[in-house]
C-alpha cells in the first residue's frame, strides 16, 4: 500500500500572516510530497514494503546503507507531525497540566521558550527543534537533517522545522524571527498536551 500525502489539518491560508499559503504550497505540496513519492519508489520489493511508517523509521535508523528509506520515511513523519504542531490563534503560554509540566522541567514558560529558541536557532544547517519526553523527563533537543526523536526512544511532543525551505519565503534568512513567531502565534498546545502519554 503506497503512502499518501496527508492533507494539512487546516486551510493553507489559515496561518496567515505568520505562515503563508505560498510557503505551504511549496513546503507541503512539493517538499513533503517529494518525501512521500520517494519513499513509495523505494518500497516495492524491499523488506519494508508492508511496514507502518513508524516501523520503517525504527528499522532503518542508524543504518547508513538504508539512509534512503530512513531519510524519506522520517521526513514524511516529521512533516506530518509539524503541521499538527501549528494552529490558527496558537502560541503563547499554554494552560493547565502542560504549564505545570513546563514549570517543573524548565522553571517556567519563558525558560522553556528560551531553550527551544536556542535549539532551533543553533541547529547548524538543516534540522528540527523538539520538545520531547525521555522516560519521564521533558527535554528540548535539536536533530539534524531527517533525524527524529521517534528513532531515539523519545516521545515527540512539539517540533519546529528549521530547514530553510520551512521559512525562507516568509522570513528569508531570519530564522530567529520565524522561531519567535512560531512560539508566539502558531504552537498548537492542545496537540502537544495530547502527545503526553497517560
Ligand atoms: Mn520541511
Amino acid at each position: 500500500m503506497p503512502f499518501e500525502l496527508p492533507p494539512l489539518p487546516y486551510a493553507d491560508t489559515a496561518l496567515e500572516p505568520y505562515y503563508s499559503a505560498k510557503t505551504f504550497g511549496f513546503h507541503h505540496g512539493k517538499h513533503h510530497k517529494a518525501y512521500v513519492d520517494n519513499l513509495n519508489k523505494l518500497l516495492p520489493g524491499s523488506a519494508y514494503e508492508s511496514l507502518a511508517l513508524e516501523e520503517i523509521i525504527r528499522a532503518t535508523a542508524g543504518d547508513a546503507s538504508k539512509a534512503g528509506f530512513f531519510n524519506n520515511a522520517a521526513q514524511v513523519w516529521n512533516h506530518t507531525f509539524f503541521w499538527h504542531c501549528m494552529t490558527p490563534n496558537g502560541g503563547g503560554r499554554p494552560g493547565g497540566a502542560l504549564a505545570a509540566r513546563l514549570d517543573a522541567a524548565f522553571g517556567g514558560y519563558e525558560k522553556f521558550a528560551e531553550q527551544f529558541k536556542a535549539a532551533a536557532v543553533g541547529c547548524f544547517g538543516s534540522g528540527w527543534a523538539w520538545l520531547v519526553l525521555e522516560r519521564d523527563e521533558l527535554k528540548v533537543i535539536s536533530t539534524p537533517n531527517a533525524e527524529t526523536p521517534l528513532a531515539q526512544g523519545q516521545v515527540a511532543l512539539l517540533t519546529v522545522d528549521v530547514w530553510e525551505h520551512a521559512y525562507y519565503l516568509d522570513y528569508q534568512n531570519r530564522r530567529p524571527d520565524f522561531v519567535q513567531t512560531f512560539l508566539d502565534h502558531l504552537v498548537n498546545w492542545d496537540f502537544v498536551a495530547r502527545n503526553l502519554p497517560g
Side-chain angles (χ1 to χ4, degrees), residues 24 66 75 83 93 115-116 134 149 166 173 197:
F24 274 124
K66 301 290 186 288
Q75 284 293 77
W83 308 139
R93 185 184 295 275
Q115 271 195 43
F116 189 84
E134 186 178 275
N173 60 322

Side-chain angles (χ1 to χ4, degrees), residues 19 27 31-32 35 75 79 82-83 127-128 161-166:
Y19 210 78
H27 197 184
H31 291 277
H32 193 181
Y35 296 124
Q75 284 293 77
H79 280 89
F82 174 51
W83 308 139
W128 303 78
D161 186 344
V162 292
W163 286 55
E164 267 189 358
H165 69 222

